[in-house]
Amino acid sequence: MSSKISLTLSAVLTTLAFSNSVSAAEALDATQLTALFSGKTVEAFHEQKKTKQTTYFSPEGRLVQANEKGQIQKGTWRVDTAGTQCIQWEGDKENCSKVMPEGNGSYKRLIDGKPVVTINKIVPGNPKNLQP
């Protein structure tokens, strides 16, 4: 009986180890974040506000965002050496987050480990002519 328990335990531990290594995505590093966002327009969904948003990230560190209600906000963005993306909207405090790839072409912005924004599409340039 103990050999059966040992085999079962071994199978469970192997399964857990494999599933953790497959599902554990790593946050993007500073170089990846800069390449992904600089000079690009991002279409996303804000998880808490339940709104769609389009944001242009200028190479100079400015950004402008329009949500589906037509509201516009402007601010600044930066990436620190630890691989954290920081955004500060005019009149607000800076919020820094990790960006995690989802494996299907989308990304999640996480603040304090909680998903805040789902990034669905990233396109080069500023096709919506958002002015930071």
Side-chain angles (χ1 to χ4, degrees), residues 13-124:
L13 291 175
T14 301
T15 301
L16 285 174
F18 180 75
S19 66
N20 283 342
S21 67
V22 170
S23 64
E26 291 196 25
L28 300 179
D29 65 26
T31 302
Q32 292 168 319
L33 284 169
T34 301
L36 187 65
F37 289 96
S38 185
K40 310 271 180 41
T41 297
V42 171
E43 293 179 13
F45 181 77
H46 197 287
E47 301 293 339
Q48 291 149 345
K49 296 177 184 176
K50 304 294 183 205
T51 57
K52 292 179 184 176
Q53 56 194 33
T54 301
T55 308
Y56 172 65
F57 292 80
S58 82
E60 299 79 29
R62 304 280 310 153
L63 75 158
V64 60
Q65 181 179 90
N67 68 21
E68 64 188 349
K69 298 174 184 175
Q71 298 165 322
I72 303 286
Q73 58 181 350
K74 296 180 179 186
T76 58
W77 75 283
R78 66 183 180 87
V79 174
D80 67 19
T81 56
T84 304
Q85 181 190 46
C86 299
I87 292 175
Q88 183 171 9
W89 299 111
E90 290 176 354
D92 205 354
K93 68 180 181 103
E94 183 178 67
N95 283 306
C96 297
S97 63
K98 290 292 189 179
V99 177
M100 306 287 287
E102 288 292 289
N104 60 1
S106 69
Y107 299 84
K108 294 270 189 200
R109 283 192 71 223
L110 304 173
I111 297 178
D112 297 326
K114 297 177 183 168
V116 177
V117 173
T118 299
I119 298 165
N120 299 308
K121 185 176 181 182
I122 301 172
V123 297

Side-chain angles (χ1 to χ4, degrees), residues 4 9 91 93:
K4 189 174 185 178
L9 182 57
K93 68 180 181 103

